[in-house]
Amino acid sequence: MAAGEPAKRRSRTKPASAMRAAAQQLQELLGRPPESVSALRPTEDGWEADVEVLELERIPETTSVMATYRVTLDKEGDLVAYERKRRYTRGQIDRRG
């Protein structure tokens, strides 16, 4: 960049692309396919997504163990952090009111 030129603004990834990026990159790290993206929030630095992952398959299916992972993406949609927020059985009803 030449002196005096305005700095280029980094563009933000679109919501649908951020959802796909969060799910795909988490799958690469965990080796398990995500079931869904249950939340997506823009942040100052990119995106945060909550991704639901099947951790332990059981029979009957309602007893399978699921996990919610919080995935942090930068403005380009690259994963910069993730953490497991909770584990639950697939048949569990969320009782938050």
Side-chain angles (χ1 to χ4, degrees), residues 29-44:
L29 290 170
L30 298 179
R32 297 183 191 103
E35 297 269 318
S36 64
V37 176
S38 58
L40 181 68
R41 291 170 291 288
T43 66
E44 188 174 306

Side-chain angles (χ1 to χ4, degrees), residues 31-71:
R32 297 183 191 103
E35 297 269 318
S36 64
V37 176
S38 58
L40 181 68
R41 291 170 291 288
T43 66
E44 188 174 306
D45 299 321
W47 295 92
E48 275 187 356
D50 290 348
V51 181
E52 309 303 319
V53 175
L54 174 64
E55 291 212 324
L56 181 60
E57 193 167 5
R58 292 186 174 158
I59 297 174
E61 193 175 277
T62 55
T63 63
S64 291
V65 178
M66 303 291 296
T68 302
Y69 284 85
R70 172 81 35 87
V71 178

Side-chain angles (χ1 to χ4, degrees), residues 13-24 36-40 49 51 73:
T13 303
K14 294 182 180 178
S17 295
M19 287 178 68
R20 282 190 299 276
Q24 289 170 350
S36 64
V37 176
S38 58
L40 181 68
V51 181
L73 305 173

Side-chain angles (χ1 to χ4, degrees), residues 76-95:
E76 284 77 38
D78 293 323
L79 189 145
V80 293
Y82 77 95
E83 67 177 309
R84 185 171 59 200
K85 298 303 284 183
R86 73 182 193 118
R87 292 180 85 188
Y88 59 96
T89 59
R90 186 186 292 273
Q92 182 178 343
I93 297 172
D94 196 357
R95 300 203 185 273

